[in-house]
Amino acid sequence: MKKIVFIFFCIVLPFFTKAQDINSKPKISVVGSGSVSVFPNAASITLQLNHVKPTLREAVNENQQTMKLIRQIVLRYVKDTTEIKTSLITTDKATRWDTKLGKDVFIGFRSNQKIIFTILDLDKIQDLTEELLKTKFQRIERISYFNTNFQEHYKKAEEFAVSDALETTRRLANHSNIQLGKILTLSSNKSPNDSNVRINTEEFETYGKGMGGRGVSSSGELIKYSVAVNLQTEILN
């Protein structure tokens, strides 16, 4: 046991000593920032189906018919079928508030289902939604716009942040008339593998042609990928 503890101590000691050495050195500490702004090039769309019929069988059957039509349309725009996901059908009783009776009254059975898919060509999103509006789905629950090249955008933003930190360090050193040594530490608050930034647009009611039969245009909003880095540089004099 003593031998194991001693070996562990020997391994940890150099790292501890190095950290103490860095902390004891005079240094300039700066924060650099960088960002890249791009337009989205893809969108994830969530549709909700909601059918109310006198019998449960009728509600489920209409739900299935609507979903079949929707999938036929979506498959013309989405080549990768793994990007199409459907939930299970859920059912329950449907009620409506009756002001005369002062209570909820039974109006039939409800059938619900969702379909989520990703479109990689935003130029076609209006044509897609115009076709979908001819079916009997209830609403577009969410459109989530994103950029498929987000990892490259994060990397570029990180490079900008490092350049900003280096430029700031040199400028402060020149202004203070001090000589710089080597870089002691450099850390980033983001990784290229971080989650993609998304622009979410929620709840377009569409049942009964509530949108007037018009399709959804692609998002014109920019997506901003921002990164900050912390840089510590040794001072020699």
Side-chain angles (χ1 to χ4, degrees):
M1 183 67 181
K2 290 181 180 179
K3 190 176 293 184
I4 294 174
V5 172
F6 178 73
I7 292 172
F8 178 75
F9 181 75
C10 289
I11 293 172
V12 172
L13 184 60
F15 289 100
F16 181 73
T17 304
K18 187 175 181 180
Q20 275 192 323
D21 186 48
I22 290 174
N23 289 331
S24 64
K25 289 182 178 180
K27 55 186 172 288
I28 292 179
S29 299
V30 302
V31 176
S33 60
S35 64
V36 173
S37 295
V38 297
F39 285 106
N41 65 359
S44 175
I45 301 175
T46 304
L47 304 182
Q48 183 176 26
L49 283 64
N50 181 27
H51 296 288
V52 177
K53 292 294 178 181
T55 68
L56 183 59
R57 180 181 294 275
E58 287 177 301
V60 171
N61 285 345
E62 183 155 12
N63 192 107
Q64 291 174 332
Q65 291 171 9
T66 302
M67 181 60 75
K68 182 179 179 180
L69 289 173
I70 288 174
R71 285 188 64 87
Q72 289 174 351
I73 294 171
V74 170
L75 284 170
R76 293 201 290 270
Y77 294 87
V78 180
K79 294 181 180 179
D80 186 356
T81 55
T82 62
E83 295 293 338
I84 304 174
K85 300 175 177 62
T86 56
S87 69
L88 296 174
I89 296 175
T90 60
T91 59
D92 61 4
K93 291 181 180 180
T95 60
R96 179 181 298 151
W97 179 257
D98 189 308
T99 53
K100 291 182 179 180
L101 297 176
K103 64 178 182 178
D104 287 321
V105 296
F106 174 76
I107 60 172
F109 291 91
R110 176 181 287 109
S111 174
N112 287 297
Q113 194 172 16
K114 291 184 182 182
I115 178 170
I116 304 172
F117 55 91
T118 299
I119 180 169
L120 299 177
D121 186 354
L122 291 187
D123 290 336
K124 296 181 179 179
I125 194 169
Q126 184 166 351
D127 294 336
L128 167 63
T129 52
E130 283 179 358
E131 286 198 57
L132 290 172
L133 284 167
K134 298 174 184 177
T135 68
K136 293 182 179 180
F137 76 93
Q138 183 194 28
R139 65 176 178 169
I140 300 174
E141 185 177 278
R142 172 174 297 175
I143 301 179
S144 183
Y145 295 98
F146 61 96
N147 193 288
T148 55
N149 299 317
F150 71 97
Q151 290 179 319
E152 294 304 314
H153 301 318
Y154 268 131
K155 290 177 183 177
K156 183 59 67 176
E158 197 169 51
E159 291 171 6
F160 288 156
V162 172
S163 297
D164 180 52
L166 290 170
E167 191 278 330
T168 302
T169 299
R170 288 192 291 264
R171 178 167 47 81
L172 292 175
N174 290 336
H175 186 72
S176 304
N177 195 28
I178 56 178
Q179 184 178 355
L180 295 174
K182 62 183 179 180
I183 293 175
L184 299 175
T185 63
L186 177 62
S187 61
S188 172
N189 73 330
K190 289 288 178 67
S191 164
N193 294 319
D194 283 348
S195 299
N196 198 354
V197 179
R198 291 173 178 254
I199 300 172
N200 292 321
T201 305
E202 299 185 4
E203 294 195 12
F204 287 95
E205 292 291 342
T206 60
Y207 192 74
K209 302 298 182 286
M211 290 176 64
R214 292 176 291 106
V216 175
S217 298
S218 60
S219 172
E221 294 184 57
L222 285 168
I223 298 176
K224 190 174 184 179
Y225 299 89
S226 299
V227 176
V229 299
N230 294 289
L231 175 69
Q232 291 185 326
T233 307
E234 182 182 13
I235 298 175
L236 295 181
N237 59 345

